[in-house]
Amino acid sequence: MKIGVYPGSFDPVTNGHLDIIQRSAKIFDKLIVGVLNNNHKKPMFTIDERVMLLEKLTNDMDNVIVDTFSGLLVDFVESYNANVIIRGFRAVSDFEYEIQLAQTNYNLNDNIETIFLVTRNEYSFLSSSIVKEVARYKGDISNMVPPLIADYLYNKFNEQEV
Ligand code: PNS
């Protein structure tokens, strides 16, 4: 059985992430979406919220499992007996960070390969940070995230203003 792991912060999940999940789920027999739980970036969404939202949005994909991890990604990948990490690649600006991640992970465990799926054109500008920035000022994010995520984001910013 071919198992792939798609790791990330998913704070929150975007249409770009969901596109990579859908495409990866067609390549692998089983896809584990790994949500990082030791994020120094101070996530806006709790780990439970990020998992719950991802689970709802991947509900119709039978071979996709959402799980959390803390510590090293390679250990998480190994715990599933998997040997492939999937990352989305948007633009040249991703190159330095992604190559550093991939090479570090390869140094830590050379049985584990990182593969990249090129993001669709329409999502190449998209990131969780951009979505949060636009939502903070009540901009239109309807082409960036599913309605479920948009509602959650606007509510969060409303709560913060109170
Ligand atoms: O969505 P992100 O924030 O770009 O994902 C980054 C992630 C979660 C893939 C990366 O930070 C990670 O794997 N963290 C776990 C710690 C780890 O294994 N670090 C070693 C590679 S530098």
Side-chain angles (χ1 to χ4, degrees):
M1 190 190 263
K2 259 195 294 172
I3 306 173
V5 175
Y6 179 45
S9 304
F10 304 105
D11 186 43
V13 60
T14 67
N15 286 344
H17 293 130
L18 289 167
D19 179 52
I20 299 287
I21 292 173
Q22 270 159 7
R23 288 160 58 197
S24 306
K26 286 186 200 153
I27 301 172
F28 292 90
D29 298 311
K30 200 185 211 179
L31 179 72
I32 316 298
V33 179
V35 188
L36 182 65
N37 190 16
N38 59 348
N39 208 328
H40 303 304
K41 292 180 197 164
K42 293 217 173 98
M44 179 174 195
F45 289 83
T46 66
I47 187 73
D48 291 342
E49 284 174 320
R50 285 179 280 149
V51 168
M52 178 270 290
L53 293 169
L54 269 161
E55 275 176 345
K56 280 194 174 170
L57 293 165
T58 56
N59 199 21
D60 58 341
M61 296 179 222
D62 291 342
N63 61 338
V64 175
I65 291 171
V66 181
D67 196 2
T68 64
F69 72 104
S70 41
L72 289 176
L73 173 59
V74 288
D75 294 338
F76 177 66
V77 174
E78 219 174 23
S79 73
Y80 274 96
N81 286 325
N83 60 0
V84 182
I85 296 167
I86 302 130
R87 294 285 288 172
F89 197 86
R90 287 169 298 193
V92 169
S93 49
D94 278 340
F95 183 79
E96 226 169 302
Y97 175 60
E98 291 300 334
I99 203 162
Q100 199 175 25
L101 266 186
Q103 286 175 338
T104 304
N105 288 328
Y106 190 68
N107 264 305
L108 291 169
N109 186 330
D110 62 9
N111 288 318
I112 298 176
E113 295 290 349
T114 302
I115 65 164
F116 296 94
L117 292 191
V118 173
T119 303
R120 284 179 199 277
N121 270 353
E122 60 261 46
Y123 302 136
S124 61
F125 70 98
L126 193 51
S127 69
S128 299
S129 320
I130 288 285
V131 172
K132 283 181 279 193
E133 180 77 2
V134 177
R136 177 188 299 275
Y137 301 110
K138 300 190 169 52
D140 181 8
I141 52 170
S142 58
N143 62 346
M144 303 180 189
V145 291
L148 173 71
I149 304 290
D151 290 347
Y152 246 84
L153 265 170
Y154 290 130
N155 283 339
K156 280 236 174 229
F157 283 116
N158 278 339
E159 278 166 23
Q160 283 181 4
E161 275 168 22
V162 178

